[in-house]
Amino acid sequence: VVEKVTAGTFADALAKHVLAPAKLTKTSLVDDPAGADAAVGYSLDEAGRLVTARPIDMSVPFSAGALRPTADDLLRFDRAPPGGALLGAASKAKLWAPRKDGYALGFTIGRVGELEVQSHGGGIDGFTSSFARVPAVDAVVIAL
């Protein structure tokens, strides 16, 4: 859909409309296992031993799992002010509003005690991630 609407590539649209305006300078769709800041994924082999995860062709998950953010960039995304370069105030409010079964636009909305928690997790061969924010206490927890 993004490529049809923009008449360009998903990567170009992401860079132009999300990454650059939000100043997410280290987030990328480029998979460079030999890069200086590359992360190494691990998994368990058949015997239950921790081994380096096998590389996969990131064109397969593409927009459903090939995005490589850093913790700093995820924090920058969280702290982007409403009405700023990334999302207007109305759009940001919609982002966190639950639609069905506690699910918003890409985020699960739940509760821990009295506090609302907005979260999204991910995982792909050898890697896992968790992003959780608690607006009432202005907290965010990012685990990669």
Side-chain angles (χ1 to χ4, degrees):
V1 170
V2 170
E3 291 180 345
K4 291 242 184 237
V5 169
T6 63
T9 68
F10 175 74
D12 289 344
L14 181 70
K16 179 180 178 183
H17 298 289
V18 178
L19 304 180
K23 297 180 177 47
L24 306 182
T25 59
K26 295 286 188 174
T27 297
S28 171
L29 285 172
V30 175
D31 188 29
D32 182 10
D37 60 352
V40 176
Y42 294 92
S43 59
L44 297 176
D45 67 10
E46 299 80 26
R49 295 177 301 229
L50 192 64
V51 296
T52 304
R54 289 189 225 167
I56 62 170
D57 178 355
M58 295 309 283
S59 68
V60 174
F62 191 49
S63 62
L67 192 65
R68 296 174 29 140
T70 63
D72 285 341
D73 275 2
L74 287 172
L75 181 61
R76 201 169 287 117
F77 166 79
D78 179 68
R79 300 303 176 181
L86 189 56
L87 292 175
S91 294
K92 200 155 190 182
K94 286 180 183 179
L95 179 67
W96 306 115
R99 303 285 191 263
K100 181 175 168 70
D101 299 328
Y103 196 72
L105 298 178
F107 294 88
T108 300
I109 311 300
R111 299 199 80 70
V112 173
E114 299 293 317
L115 298 173
E116 178 180 275
V117 178
Q118 304 160 337
S119 63
H120 181 82
I124 197 160
D125 302 41
F127 297 92
T128 189
S129 63
S130 180
F131 174 91
R133 60 192 310 269
V134 185
V137 295
D138 192 31
V140 64
V141 177
I142 299 164
L144 304 174

